Amino acid sequence: MKEGNEETLSEWINVKDHFLKHYDSIYERIGLTFDDRLFDSSYSEEIEETYNRLLQKNLLVIEEDGKVKINVAFNGTENIFINREINSIVYKLNRAVCGASHRKKKYNFDTVYYVAPTSEANFFSTVFSLIKELEHDLYNSLHHVKLKNITSFDKKLKNVHAEDIIEQAKTYTKDMLKRDLYLQDDEISEEMAEILSLSSLIINDMTHKRSFDYKFDWKQILNLGERSGAGLQFCHAGLKGLQKDSDFYYKVEIDTSPLLEKEAQHLIKHLSRFDEIVYQSYQTLEPHIILEYLFSFEVYC
């Protein structure tokens, strides 16, 4: 394929398109879209050029005994990889270094966040150090957002696909609605079950600090009580119902002086903190801050 074999290239494009179509359908279900996609082939020539630059600057050394040495140090240690790791490590590092440079040229970004497990910290430290040696200005724009893994993950779910987990969540949600709200099958639409199950999965994940492990527990995730995705959905539905049934015209600029009750004053002050909360979440890259803020409104629903 690298040599330009048309038949091999055509097969690869077909396989790639098939997988993209499949994964796009999953991303669409959870509300994710992509502005652009970059594959290794998007900058294959640049990868070779970057590799040569690393060798020329002695940042990457392949020693006689077959070991690969990365001539950047952090945490007081050197990066030395054994022979069997040469191809994967060198290629992975080279691709990451080249990818950052390529994206800078294409998008002229201010900041790049690499959202990856904490276990990848050494890898990204190495990448950033190499970039610092090659392109110092770019170095200050790169950040590794560390994520912890989910602990105590159900053994039955470890090897299943994302769509299978979503479908299982939908099934559990339907059972929960019938059990706790006494709804009949014909009262539970597929859309309702989809929204509640996805909200529950996403909200449960976002309520935890990204640097902390947490236990994947269906009972905790799928419940109709407070501090849950379903609870937030019901709260939102209730507020929208009040808005729909009211003749009052809602607008941003509003005179709140007639609202003299203590509870009303407290709610107004709490609502006014929204911008502050969003900014705090942005500064720390912690979505749980917004979730804690939203959960605090459940008392009013």
Side-chain angles (χ1 to χ4, degrees):
M1 186 167 65
K2 185 177 179 181
E3 296 173 353
N5 184 290
E6 292 186 4
E7 183 178 350
T8 304
L9 183 60
S10 177
E11 290 178 359
W12 163 243
I13 291 175
N14 288 333
V15 171
K16 183 184 71 173
D17 290 344
H18 172 76
F19 278 99
L20 286 179
K21 184 178 180 180
H22 170 70
Y23 284 113
D24 280 346
S25 66
I26 300 173
Y27 289 132
E28 184 179 356
R29 292 180 72 176
I30 59 178
L32 287 179
T33 58
F34 296 91
D35 297 325
D36 195 8
R37 289 186 176 91
L38 289 176
F39 303 94
D40 292 352
S41 57
S42 303
Y43 42 85
S44 55
E45 294 182 1
E46 296 171 60
I47 288 180
E48 186 173 351
E49 179 185 341
T50 301
Y51 174 70
N52 291 329
R53 288 179 64 195
L54 292 173
L55 290 176
Q56 291 169 4
K57 288 181 172 288
N58 205 37
L59 295 171
L60 177 66
V61 178
I62 301 178
E63 300 182 335
E64 293 182 0
D65 59 0
K67 292 181 179 179
V68 175
K69 182 178 180 181
I70 310 299
N71 277 332
V72 292
F74 57 91
N75 297 331
T77 61
E78 291 183 328
N79 290 298
I80 299 177
F81 306 98
I82 61 177
N83 184 56
R84 62 183 173 82
E85 296 177 312
I86 287 179
N87 290 333
S88 60
I89 290 295
V90 170
Y91 184 76
K92 188 178 179 182
L93 284 170
N94 191 34
R95 181 181 60 185
V97 172
C98 182
S101 178
H102 179 89
R103 288 175 173 85
K104 180 62 176 179
K105 293 175 183 177
K106 184 173 183 178
Y107 300 109
N108 193 29
F109 56 75
D110 295 317
T111 304
V112 168
Y113 297 107
Y114 293 88
V115 182
T118 302
S119 58
E120 293 287 309
N122 284 350
F123 170 76
F124 282 105
S125 294
T126 304
V127 170
F128 296 165
S129 297
L130 289 172
I131 290 175
K132 184 177 182 180
E133 296 294 330
L134 293 176
E135 302 180 59
H136 188 273
D137 293 340
L138 181 59
Y139 168 76
N140 294 320
S141 304
L142 310 176
H143 304 277
H144 174 203
V145 180
K146 300 174 183 177
L147 297 178
K148 281 287 189 178
N149 295 325
I150 301 174
T151 57
S152 302
F153 202 72
D154 190 334
K155 292 181 179 179
K156 296 179 181 178
L157 297 178
K158 281 188 176 180
N159 298 315
V160 300
H161 300 292
E163 61 268 35
D164 297 323
I165 294 179
I166 294 174
E167 289 302 322
Q168 188 169 345
K170 281 181 64 176
T171 299
Y172 287 162
T173 297
K174 291 177 181 178
D175 293 340
M176 176 180 64
L177 292 173
K178 287 186 284 187
R179 182 188 66 243
D180 297 343
L181 297 184
Y182 306 105
L183 296 180
Q184 301 300 313
D185 288 329
D186 58 355
E187 296 177 293
I188 304 173
S189 66
E190 287 295 313
E191 182 182 15
M192 179 195 300
E194 177 98 354
I195 291 174
L196 288 176
S197 58
L198 286 175
S199 297
S200 298
L201 286 168
I202 294 171
I203 294 301
N204 177 74
D205 186 67
M206 292 176 66
T207 54
H208 299 87
K209 291 185 178 181
R210 56 180 171 78
S211 58
F212 282 47
D213 290 338
Y214 72 88
K215 182 179 179 180
F216 188 92
D217 185 349
W218 280 119
K219 290 183 178 179
Q220 180 181 352
I221 296 170
L222 301 174
N223 72 84
L224 301 178
E226 297 179 353
R227 301 181 61 81
S228 69
L232 283 179
Q233 287 288 355
F234 290 142
C235 181
H236 177 262
L239 292 173
K240 291 294 289 185
L242 289 174
Q243 180 182 0
K244 183 179 180 180
D245 295 338
S246 173
D247 295 330
F248 185 77
Y249 177 70
Y250 289 82
K251 56 183 179 179
V252 176
E253 299 296 332
I254 188 172
D255 179 17
T256 61
S257 59
L259 302 176
L260 302 177
E261 297 86 354
K262 184 185 297 184
E263 293 80 6
Q265 290 293 320
H266 181 269
L267 177 58
I268 292 168
K269 291 179 181 179
H270 202 45
L271 286 168
S272 69
R273 297 188 61 221
F274 179 71
D275 289 346
E276 170 197 341
I277 295 297
V278 172
Y279 182 72
Q280 185 180 350
S281 179
Y282 166 72
Q283 287 290 92
T284 59
L285 302 178
E286 288 284 8
H288 83 275
I289 293 174
I290 295 178
L291 266 298
E292 290 297 330
Y293 176 72
L294 293 177
F295 285 144
S296 66
F297 283 101
E298 290 183 333
V299 67
Y300 299 103
C301 297

